Amino acid sequence: MAQLKNSGVKSCEELLTAFRKSETKPYGAEKIVFGGTNGKDVYNITAPFEDEGEPVIAGRVEHRDSEDSEIRFFVNRGGEWVMRDGSPVFSLQDPFHTRIAGELIVGGVQTYPHPTMEGRLGWRTVFYRGSGLTRLEPFFQGPDFMKDLRLVQLRDGSIGVFTRPQGEKGGRGKIGFTRVHALDDLTTDVVSQAPLLNGQFLDDEWGGCNEIHLLSSGLLGVLGHIARFDEAGNRHYYPMVFVFDPETETFTDMQIIAERANFLQGPSKRPDLEDVVFSGGLVRRPGGIAELYAGVSDAEAHKITIRDPFAGFDT
């Protein structure tokens, strides 16, 4: 099994240079077509997951000129993904999913009026649980001003918690980790007090986790994003991965696995969001490849095929 090699913090530019020099490039870019949305965009999707025997994609649905978002659930009908009858609709952004002790866990980002800044929004991550999409019930909300809060069931049955505080503790956003024995042990204090994984981000850059894969070795394959502003204030988001050992809390270097130019051309929500790829999910396939599902430019949802970034870390 490959070793967890870590050579210290690297900037977006350094990681992007290494990616562009790599021998294996993403291929097979596709736009995922969604129907029945009444002109609204669907982006920042999850990878397909199974619910009641059928693949489902959760997506962020909103008008191009609005941040008023809903999470809706889509199924494939003849090559087009359409809203699934009877599925819930959540007034949230940026969906994600996992399974813990057999239960489906679905979450997203809830916005609310900023407590001190008029006209601005605050945000928090909220979670639902249930045996299936039609039986989801809310069970936990993370601390205020924390996105990219993710859960994963570990090999011993406990639950790994990846956090992303901002401000005094995390700057523009750094990843933290802790673990709890059960979902009922989650509290905002537990999440807020999770130690940071030091040495991942420069102080003027940021990132977070999007989806966690439990590997057969017990290690965790983390799909996330790393981001920066340029001098003109434009945002640049890149999908990245690293491998994390929950026992020793050591981790590999991050690797950028794609950039906006690897996907098909398309519109952006705003000019400053043209170079944005927001990781949605990774489907590992036989033969050492994987499909990366992502939101691009805050306007569309695409997928590409890449080399499986976690191959070599299974037992």
Side-chain angles (χ1 to χ4, degrees):
M1 186 173 66
Q3 301 297 308
L4 303 189
K5 296 180 180 178
N6 191 312
S7 55
V9 62
K10 293 183 175 59
S11 68
C12 276
E13 283 297 328
E14 290 175 297
L15 295 174
L16 188 59
T17 297
F19 165 71
R20 288 172 174 170
K21 289 181 177 177
S22 62
E23 295 181 356
T24 56
K25 303 294 184 187
Y27 61 94
E30 296 179 27
K31 176 182 174 180
I32 301 176
V33 178
F34 292 92
T37 62
N38 295 321
K40 295 182 178 180
D41 292 331
V42 182
Y43 68 102
N44 289 7
I45 58 171
T46 67
F49 61 96
E50 187 172 306
D51 180 67
E52 298 182 350
E54 184 174 41
V56 177
I57 286 178
R60 172 174 174 167
V61 183
E62 67 192 26
H63 286 295
R64 184 74 52 85
D65 60 354
S66 172
E67 296 288 325
D68 186 11
S69 171
E70 292 178 339
I71 290 177
R72 290 183 175 268
F73 299 90
F74 298 84
V75 290
N76 194 314
R77 296 289 182 265
E80 182 179 74
W81 291 83
V82 299
M83 284 183 273
R84 190 193 207 194
D85 292 338
S87 290
V89 178
F90 299 123
S91 296
L92 302 172
Q93 304 173 347
D94 303 339
F96 58 86
H97 70 91
T98 189
R99 284 195 179 272
I100 293 179
E103 280 193 306
L104 176 64
I105 309 294
V106 172
V109 176
Q110 181 184 63
T111 59
Y112 55 90
H114 196 286
T116 60
M117 302 174 69
E118 187 174 353
R120 303 287 293 273
L121 294 175
W123 55 85
R124 61 172 74 95
T125 307
V126 300
F127 293 83
Y128 293 75
R129 63 191 288 187
S131 59
L133 281 177
T134 59
R135 292 173 291 279
L136 292 175
E137 297 290 341
F139 75 95
F140 180 68
Q141 67 178 38
D144 290 351
F145 300 104
M146 186 181 291
K147 297 181 178 181
D148 305 328
L149 181 57
R150 296 292 186 270
L151 308 176
V152 60
Q153 186 162 31
L154 305 179
R155 190 163 60 175
D156 66 357
S158 65
I159 298 167
V161 183
F162 284 90
T163 70
R164 200 202 74 163
Q166 290 179 275
E168 183 176 350
K169 183 175 182 178
R172 285 181 166 168
K174 293 183 173 65
I175 296 171
F177 178 80
T178 189
R179 59 199 295 173
V180 294
H181 291 295
L183 290 176
D184 291 341
D185 294 332
L186 274 174
T187 67
T188 55
D189 284 344
V190 165
V191 171
S192 298
Q193 293 169 12
L196 294 178
L197 309 186
N198 291 315
Q200 285 195 311
F201 300 97
L202 300 179
D203 286 341
D204 60 349
E205 299 183 349
W206 68 95
C209 298
N210 296 87
E211 184 183 74
I212 317 299
H213 291 252
L214 175 63
L215 309 180
S216 59
S217 59
L219 299 174
L220 303 177
V222 179
L223 171 67
H225 60 277
I226 183 171
R228 68 177 180 89
F229 286 114
D230 64 22
E231 294 179 352
N234 298 314
R235 298 167 193 263
H236 303 267
Y237 275 67
Y238 307 96
M240 64 79 172
V241 296
F242 65 92
V243 175
F244 181 78
D245 185 340
E247 301 303 325
T248 64
E249 300 190 3
T250 56
F251 48 91
T252 66
D253 287 330
M254 285 189 289
Q255 294 181 14
I256 286 177
I257 54 174
E259 61 177 315
R260 180 65 185 86
N262 299 133
F263 296 85
L264 301 179
Q265 294 184 350
S268 64
K269 190 177 187 72
R270 300 192 309 263
D272 65 304
L273 299 172
E274 288 181 1
D275 189 29
V276 168
V277 179
F278 191 76
S279 304
L282 201 66
V283 179
R284 304 177 70 199
R285 300 293 191 190
I289 63 173
E291 294 171 343
L292 172 64
Y293 289 77
V296 295
S297 305
D298 280 17
E300 294 184 335
H302 293 196
K303 75 170 183 176
I304 55 172
T305 301
I306 63 173
R307 177 182 59 82
D308 182 354
F310 306 133
F313 290 97
D314 289 301
T315 298

PDB file of all heavy atoms in Angstrom, residues 199-228:
ATOM      1  N   GLY A 199      -0.986  22.678   8.009  1.00  0.00           N
ATOM      2  CA  GLY A 199      -0.085  22.468   6.884  1.00  0.00           C
ATOM      3  C   GLY A 199      -0.763  22.116   5.585  1.00  0.00           C
ATOM      4  O   GLY A 199      -0.166  21.460   4.724  1.00  0.00           O
ATOM      5  N   GLN A 200      -2.024  22.556   5.414  1.00  0.00           N
ATOM      6  CA  GLN A 200      -2.721  22.263   4.148  1.00  0.00           C
ATOM      7  C   GLN A 200      -2.938  23.505   3.280  1.00  0.00           C
ATOM      8  O   GLN A 200      -2.924  23.397   2.060  1.00  0.00           O
ATOM      9  CB  GLN A 200      -4.083  21.615   4.432  1.00  0.00           C
ATOM     10  CG  GLN A 200      -4.008  20.166   4.868  1.00  0.00           C
ATOM     11  CD  GLN A 200      -5.361  19.495   4.779  1.00  0.00           C
ATOM     12  OE1 GLN A 200      -6.351  20.013   5.261  1.00  0.00           O
ATOM     13  NE2 GLN A 200      -5.404  18.331   4.161  1.00  0.00           N
ATOM     14  N   PHE A 201      -3.180  24.664   3.897  1.00  0.00           N
ATOM     15  CA  PHE A 201      -3.557  25.843   3.119  1.00  0.00           C
ATOM     16  C   PHE A 201      -2.730  27.053   3.534  1.00  0.00           C
ATOM     17  O   PHE A 201      -2.459  27.245   4.726  1.00  0.00           O
ATOM     18  CB  PHE A 201      -5.039  26.184   3.342  1.00  0.00           C
ATOM     19  CG  PHE A 201      -5.991  25.087   2.950  1.00  0.00           C
ATOM     20  CD1 PHE A 201      -6.489  24.215   3.913  1.00  0.00           C
ATOM     21  CD2 PHE A 201      -6.384  24.921   1.635  1.00  0.00           C
ATOM     22  CE1 PHE A 201      -7.369  23.198   3.561  1.00  0.00           C
ATOM     23  CE2 PHE A 201      -7.258  23.912   1.272  1.00  0.00           C
ATOM     24  CZ  PHE A 201      -7.753  23.046   2.238  1.00  0.00           C
ATOM     25  N   LEU A 202      -2.375  27.861   2.562  1.00  0.00           N
ATOM     26  CA  LEU A 202      -1.831  29.181   2.872  1.00  0.00           C
ATOM     27  C   LEU A 202      -2.924  30.019   3.517  1.00  0.00           C
ATOM     28  O   LEU A 202      -4.118  29.795   3.280  1.00  0.00           O
ATOM     29  CB  LEU A 202      -1.344  29.864   1.587  1.00  0.00           C
ATOM     30  CG  LEU A 202      -0.253  29.152   0.786  1.00  0.00           C
ATOM     31  CD1 LEU A 202       0.078  29.963  -0.474  1.00  0.00           C
ATOM     32  CD2 LEU A 202       0.988  28.933   1.626  1.00  0.00           C
ATOM     33  N   ASP A 203      -2.534  31.018   4.290  1.00  0.00           N
ATOM     34  CA  ASP A 203      -3.537  31.810   5.007  1.00  0.00           C
ATOM     35  C   ASP A 203      -4.446  32.601   4.081  1.00  0.00           C
ATOM     36  O   ASP A 203      -5.573  32.941   4.462  1.00  0.00           O
ATOM     37  CB  ASP A 203      -2.841  32.757   5.988  1.00  0.00           C
ATOM     38  CG  ASP A 203      -2.303  32.019   7.209  1.00  0.00           C
ATOM     39  OD1 ASP A 203      -2.770  30.883   7.469  1.00  0.00           O
ATOM     40  OD2 ASP A 203      -1.415  32.558   7.878  1.00  0.00           O
ATOM     41  N   ASP A 204      -3.981  32.938   2.865  1.00  0.00           N
ATOM     42  CA  ASP A 204      -4.837  33.702   1.955  1.00  0.00           C
ATOM     43  C   ASP A 204      -5.585  32.802   0.971  1.00  0.00           C
ATOM     44  O   ASP A 204      -6.187  33.296   0.020  1.00  0.00           O
ATOM     45  CB  ASP A 204      -4.028  34.767   1.207  1.00  0.00           C
ATOM     46  CG  ASP A 204      -2.913  34.167   0.372  1.00  0.00           C
ATOM     47  OD1 ASP A 204      -2.643  32.954   0.529  1.00  0.00           O
ATOM     48  OD2 ASP A 204      -2.319  34.894  -0.436  1.00  0.00           O
ATOM     49  N   GLU A 205      -5.527  31.489   1.188  1.00  0.00           N
ATOM     50  CA  GLU A 205      -6.298  30.545   0.373  1.00  0.00           C
ATOM     51  C   GLU A 205      -7.206  29.758   1.311  1.00  0.00           C
ATOM     52  O   GLU A 205      -7.124  29.872   2.519  1.00  0.00           O
ATOM     53  CB  GLU A 205      -5.351  29.639  -0.414  1.00  0.00           C
ATOM     54  CG  GLU A 205      -4.467  30.439  -1.376  1.00  0.00           C
ATOM     55  CD  GLU A 205      -3.564  29.569  -2.231  1.00  0.00           C
ATOM     56  OE1 GLU A 205      -3.452  28.367  -1.958  1.00  0.00           O
ATOM     57  OE2 GLU A 205      -2.985  30.116  -3.185  1.00  0.00           O
ATOM     58  N   TRP A 206      -8.076  28.944   0.733  1.00  0.00           N
ATOM     59  CA  TRP A 206      -9.006  28.205   1.576  1.00  0.00           C
ATOM     60  C   TRP A 206      -9.440  26.918   0.886  1.00  0.00           C
ATOM     61  O   TRP A 206      -9.179  26.711  -0.313  1.00  0.00           O
ATOM     62  CB  TRP A 206     -10.207  29.051   1.937  1.00  0.00           C
ATOM     63  CG  TRP A 206     -11.144  29.383   0.804  1.00  0.00           C
ATOM     64  CD1 TRP A 206     -12.281  28.712   0.459  1.00  0.00           C
ATOM     65  CD2 TRP A 206     -11.025  30.462  -0.143  1.00  0.00           C
ATOM     66  NE1 TRP A 206     -12.882  29.305  -0.622  1.00  0.00           N
ATOM     67  CE2 TRP A 206     -12.134  30.374  -1.011  1.00  0.00           C
ATOM     68  CE3 TRP A 206     -10.088  31.467  -0.341  1.00  0.00           C
ATOM     69  CZ2 TRP A 206     -12.325  31.271  -2.068  1.00  0.00           C
ATOM     70  CZ3 TRP A 206     -10.286  32.365  -1.383  1.00  0.00           C
ATOM     71  CH2 TRP A 206     -11.387  32.264  -2.224  1.00  0.00           C
ATOM     72  N   GLY A 207     -10.113  26.067   1.659  1.00  0.00           N
ATOM     73  CA  GLY A 207     -10.611  24.819   1.083  1.00  0.00           C
ATOM     74  C   GLY A 207     -11.499  24.096   2.059  1.00  0.00           C
ATOM     75  O   GLY A 207     -11.726  24.545   3.184  1.00  0.00           O
ATOM     76  N   GLY A 208     -12.020  22.958   1.606  1.00  0.00           N
ATOM     77  CA  GLY A 208     -12.902  22.168   2.453  1.00  0.00           C
ATOM     78  C   GLY A 208     -13.140  20.805   1.852  1.00  0.00           C
ATOM     79  O   GLY A 208     -12.713  20.512   0.724  1.00  0.00           O
ATOM     80  N   CYS A 209     -13.815  19.947   2.630  1.00  0.00           N
ATOM     81  CA  CYS A 209     -14.130  18.586   2.176  1.00  0.00           C
ATOM     82  C   CYS A 209     -15.504  18.569   1.509  1.00  0.00           C
ATOM     83  O   CYS A 209     -16.414  19.289   1.922  1.00  0.00           O
ATOM     84  CB  CYS A 209     -14.140  17.627   3.361  1.00  0.00           C
ATOM     85  SG  CYS A 209     -12.559  17.493   4.205  1.00  0.00           S
ATOM     86  N   ASN A 210     -15.645  17.739   0.487  1.00  0.00           N
ATOM     87  CA  ASN A 210     -16.927  17.573  -0.181  1.00  0.00           C
ATOM     88  C   ASN A 210     -17.488  16.162  -0.052  1.00  0.00           C
ATOM     89  O   ASN A 210     -18.696  15.981   0.058  1.00  0.00           O
ATOM     90  CB  ASN A 210     -16.806  17.920  -1.671  1.00  0.00           C
ATOM     91  CG  ASN A 210     -16.454  19.370  -1.880  1.00  0.00           C
ATOM     92  OD1 ASN A 210     -15.283  19.736  -1.889  1.00  0.00           O
ATOM     93  ND2 ASN A 210     -17.458  20.217  -2.021  1.00  0.00           N
ATOM     94  N   GLU A 211     -16.617  15.160  -0.061  1.00  0.00           N
ATOM     95  CA  GLU A 211     -17.093  13.778   0.010  1.00  0.00           C
ATOM     96  C   GLU A 211     -15.963  12.920   0.558  1.00  0.00           C
ATOM     97  O   GLU A 211     -14.810  13.079   0.150  1.00  0.00           O
ATOM     98  CB  GLU A 211     -17.504  13.284  -1.379  1.00  0.00           C
ATOM     99  CG  GLU A 211     -18.107  11.884  -1.384  1.00  0.00           C
ATOM    100  CD  GLU A 211     -18.419  11.420  -2.796  1.00  0.00           C
ATOM    101  OE1 GLU A 211     -17.468  11.077  -3.538  1.00  0.00           O
ATOM    102  OE2 GLU A 211     -19.597  11.409  -3.164  1.00  0.00           O
ATOM    103  N   ILE A 212     -16.284  12.003   1.461  1.00  0.00           N
ATOM    104  CA  ILE A 212     -15.278  11.162   2.097  1.00  0.00           C
ATOM    105  C   ILE A 212     -15.514   9.704   1.699  1.00  0.00           C
ATOM    106  O   ILE A 212     -16.636   9.205   1.811  1.00  0.00           O
ATOM    107  CB  ILE A 212     -15.329  11.272   3.630  1.00  0.00           C
ATOM    108  CG1 ILE A 212     -15.505  12.730   4.070  1.00  0.00           C
ATOM    109  CG2 ILE A 212     -14.075  10.655   4.234  1.00  0.00           C
ATOM    110  CD1 ILE A 212     -14.397  13.660   3.650  1.00  0.00           C
ATOM    111  N   HIS A 213     -14.454   9.019   1.272  1.00  0.00           N
ATOM    112  CA  HIS A 213     -14.532   7.599   0.906  1.00  0.00           C
ATOM    113  C   HIS A 213     -13.774   6.782   1.942  1.00  0.00           C
ATOM    114  O   HIS A 213     -12.570   7.028   2.164  1.00  0.00           O
ATOM    115  CB  HIS A 213     -13.903   7.361  -0.476  1.00  0.00           C
ATOM    116  CG  HIS A 213     -14.693   7.955  -1.595  1.00  0.00           C
ATOM    117  ND1 HIS A 213     -15.417   7.180  -2.482  1.00  0.00           N
ATOM    118  CD2 HIS A 213     -14.907   9.245  -1.960  1.00  0.00           C
ATOM    119  CE1 HIS A 213     -16.028   7.967  -3.352  1.00  0.00           C
ATOM    120  NE2 HIS A 213     -15.732   9.226  -3.059  1.00  0.00           N
ATOM    121  N   LEU A 214     -14.467   5.812   2.578  1.00  0.00           N
ATOM    122  CA  LEU A 214     -13.781   4.857   3.448  1.00  0.00           C
ATOM    123  C   LEU A 214     -13.137   3.800   2.564  1.00  0.00           C
ATOM    124  O   LEU A 214     -13.831   3.064   1.851  1.00  0.00           O
ATOM    125  CB  LEU A 214     -14.773   4.221   4.420  1.00  0.00           C
ATOM    126  CG  LEU A 214     -14.203   3.113   5.307  1.00  0.00           C
ATOM    127  CD1 LEU A 214     -13.101   3.640   6.228  1.00  0.00           C
ATOM    128  CD2 LEU A 214     -15.324   2.445   6.122  1.00  0.00           C
ATOM    129  N   LEU A 215     -11.809   3.717   2.591  1.00  0.00           N
ATOM    130  CA  LEU A 215     -11.088   2.753   1.773  1.00  0.00           C
ATOM    131  C   LEU A 215     -10.984   1.426   2.527  1.00  0.00           C
ATOM    132  O   LEU A 215     -11.120   1.383   3.756  1.00  0.00           O
ATOM    133  CB  LEU A 215      -9.702   3.311   1.430  1.00  0.00           C
ATOM    134  CG  LEU A 215      -9.693   4.736   0.834  1.00  0.00           C
ATOM    135  CD1 LEU A 215      -8.263   5.174   0.524  1.00  0.00           C
ATOM    136  CD2 LEU A 215     -10.557   4.809  -0.425  1.00  0.00           C
ATOM    137  N   SER A 216     -10.713   0.345   1.809  1.00  0.00           N
ATOM    138  CA  SER A 216     -10.678  -0.972   2.444  1.00  0.00           C
ATOM    139  C   SER A 216      -9.557  -1.079   3.468  1.00  0.00           C
ATOM    140  O   SER A 216      -9.589  -1.938   4.349  1.00  0.00           O
ATOM    141  CB  SER A 216     -10.533  -2.059   1.381  1.00  0.00           C
ATOM    142  OG  SER A 216      -9.347  -1.867   0.631  1.00  0.00           O
ATOM    143  N   SER A 217      -8.568  -0.220   3.392  1.00  0.00           N
ATOM    144  CA  SER A 217      -7.472  -0.192   4.362  1.00  0.00           C
ATOM    145  C   SER A 217      -7.867   0.491   5.667  1.00  0.00           C
ATOM    146  O   SER A 217      -7.102   0.448   6.643  1.00  0.00           O
ATOM    147  CB  SER A 217      -6.287   0.561   3.747  1.00  0.00           C
ATOM    148  OG  SER A 217      -6.663   1.891   3.406  1.00  0.00           O
ATOM    149  N   GLY A 218      -9.021   1.138   5.696  1.00  0.00           N
ATOM    150  CA  GLY A 218      -9.416   1.939   6.848  1.00  0.00           C
ATOM    151  C   GLY A 218      -9.012   3.399   6.707  1.00  0.00           C
ATOM    152  O   GLY A 218      -9.452   4.243   7.492  1.00  0.00           O
ATOM    153  N   LEU A 219      -8.160   3.682   5.733  1.00  0.00           N
ATOM    154  CA  LEU A 219      -7.828   5.081   5.443  1.00  0.00           C
ATOM    155  C   LEU A 219      -9.032   5.771   4.805  1.00  0.00           C
ATOM    156  O   LEU A 219      -9.970   5.110   4.328  1.00  0.00           O
ATOM    157  CB  LEU A 219      -6.619   5.155   4.500  1.00  0.00           C
ATOM    158  CG  LEU A 219      -5.317   4.543   5.016  1.00  0.00           C
ATOM    159  CD1 LEU A 219      -4.246   4.560   3.913  1.00  0.00           C
ATOM    160  CD2 LEU A 219      -4.808   5.278   6.246  1.00  0.00           C
ATOM    161  N   LEU A 220      -8.989   7.087   4.757  1.00  0.00           N
ATOM    162  CA  LEU A 220     -10.068   7.868   4.160  1.00  0.00           C
ATOM    163  C   LEU A 220      -9.564   8.593   2.926  1.00  0.00           C
ATOM    164  O   LEU A 220      -8.540   9.295   2.980  1.00  0.00           O
ATOM    165  CB  LEU A 220     -10.614   8.883   5.173  1.00  0.00           C
ATOM    166  CG  LEU A 220     -11.127   8.305   6.494  1.00  0.00           C
ATOM    167  CD1 LEU A 220     -11.577   9.421   7.420  1.00  0.00           C
ATOM    168  CD2 LEU A 220     -12.271   7.314   6.250  1.00  0.00           C
ATOM    169  N   GLY A 221     -10.265   8.419   1.835  1.00  0.00           N
ATOM    170  CA  GLY A 221      -9.989   9.193   0.639  1.00  0.00           C
ATOM    171  C   GLY A 221     -10.873  10.431   0.654  1.00  0.00           C
ATOM    172  O   GLY A 221     -12.100  10.337   0.653  1.00  0.00           O
ATOM    173  N   VAL A 222     -10.259  11.584   0.696  1.00  0.00           N
ATOM    174  CA  VAL A 222     -11.006  12.836   0.843  1.00  0.00           C
ATOM    175  C   VAL A 222     -11.047  13.570  -0.500  1.00  0.00           C
ATOM    176  O   VAL A 222     -10.001  13.876  -1.082  1.00  0.00           O
ATOM    177  CB  VAL A 222     -10.359  13.748   1.903  1.00  0.00           C
ATOM    178  CG1 VAL A 222     -11.141  15.058   2.027  1.00  0.00           C
ATOM    179  CG2 VAL A 222     -10.285  13.026   3.237  1.00  0.00           C
ATOM    180  N   LEU A 223     -12.261  13.824  -0.980  1.00  0.00           N
ATOM    181  CA  LEU A 223     -12.464  14.686  -2.146  1.00  0.00           C
ATOM    182  C   LEU A 223     -12.881  16.054  -1.636  1.00  0.00           C
ATOM    183  O   LEU A 223     -13.824  16.175  -0.852  1.00  0.00           O
ATOM    184  CB  LEU A 223     -13.563  14.110  -3.042  1.00  0.00           C
ATOM    185  CG  LEU A 223     -14.039  15.011  -4.194  1.00  0.00           C
ATOM    186  CD1 LEU A 223     -12.939  15.193  -5.233  1.00  0.00           C
ATOM    187  CD2 LEU A 223     -15.299  14.429  -4.840  1.00  0.00           C
ATOM    188  N   GLY A 224     -12.183  17.085  -2.060  1.00  0.00           N
ATOM    189  CA  GLY A 224     -12.499  18.425  -1.590  1.00  0.00           C
ATOM    190  C   GLY A 224     -12.217  19.473  -2.640  1.00  0.00           C
ATOM    191  O   GLY A 224     -12.215  19.190  -3.847  1.00  0.00           O
ATOM    192  N   HIS A 225     -11.985  20.678  -2.169  1.00  0.00           N
ATOM    193  CA  HIS A 225     -11.647  21.775  -3.084  1.00  0.00           C
ATOM    194  C   HIS A 225     -10.637  22.683  -2.407  1.00  0.00           C
ATOM    195  O   HIS A 225     -10.567  22.767  -1.175  1.00  0.00           O
ATOM    196  CB  HIS A 225     -12.899  22.568  -3.472  1.00  0.00           C
ATOM    197  CG  HIS A 225     -13.605  23.191  -2.308  1.00  0.00           C
ATOM    198  ND1 HIS A 225     -14.498  22.496  -1.521  1.00  0.00           N
ATOM    199  CD2 HIS A 225     -13.533  24.438  -1.772  1.00  0.00           C
ATOM    200  CE1 HIS A 225     -14.957  23.291  -0.564  1.00  0.00           C
ATOM    201  NE2 HIS A 225     -14.377  24.481  -0.689  1.00  0.00           N
ATOM    202  N   ILE A 226      -9.843  23.342  -3.233  1.00  0.00           N
ATOM    203  CA  ILE A 226      -8.934  24.384  -2.767  1.00  0.00           C
ATOM    204  C   ILE A 226      -9.193  25.600  -3.634  1.00  0.00           C
ATOM    205  O   ILE A 226      -9.502  25.475  -4.832  1.00  0.00           O
ATOM    206  CB  ILE A 226      -7.455  23.936  -2.831  1.00  0.00           C
ATOM    207  CG1 ILE A 226      -6.535  25.034  -2.271  1.00  0.00           C
ATOM    208  CG2 ILE A 226      -7.045  23.507  -4.231  1.00  0.00           C
ATOM    209  CD1 ILE A 226      -5.086  24.590  -2.094  1.00  0.00           C
ATOM    210  N   ALA A 227      -9.103  26.796  -3.034  1.00  0.00           N
ATOM    211  CA  ALA A 227      -9.536  27.991  -3.760  1.00  0.00           C
ATOM    212  C   ALA A 227      -8.678  29.197  -3.382  1.00  0.00           C
ATOM    213  O   ALA A 227      -8.010  29.226  -2.346  1.00  0.00           O
ATOM    214  CB  ALA A 227     -11.004  28.277  -3.438  1.00  0.00           C
ATOM    215  N   ARG A 228      -8.741  30.194  -4.269  1.00  0.00           N
ATOM    216  CA  ARG A 228      -8.005  31.440  -4.035  1.00  0.00           C
ATOM    217  C   ARG A 228      -8.689  32.567  -4.796  1.00  0.00           C
ATOM    218  O   ARG A 228      -9.464  32.326  -5.728  1.00  0.00           O
ATOM    219  CB  ARG A 228      -6.550  31.314  -4.512  1.00  0.00           C
ATOM    220  CG  ARG A 228      -6.420  31.195  -6.020  1.00  0.00           C
ATOM    221  CD  ARG A 228      -4.963  31.156  -6.452  1.00  0.00           C
ATOM    222  NE  ARG A 228      -4.844  31.036  -7.907  1.00  0.00           N
ATOM    223  CZ  ARG A 228      -4.807  32.071  -8.749  1.00  0.00           C
ATOM    224  NH1 ARG A 228      -4.877  33.311  -8.271  1.00  0.00           N
ATOM    225  NH2 ARG A 228      -4.721  31.889 -10.041  1.00  0.00           N
TER     226      ARG A 228
END
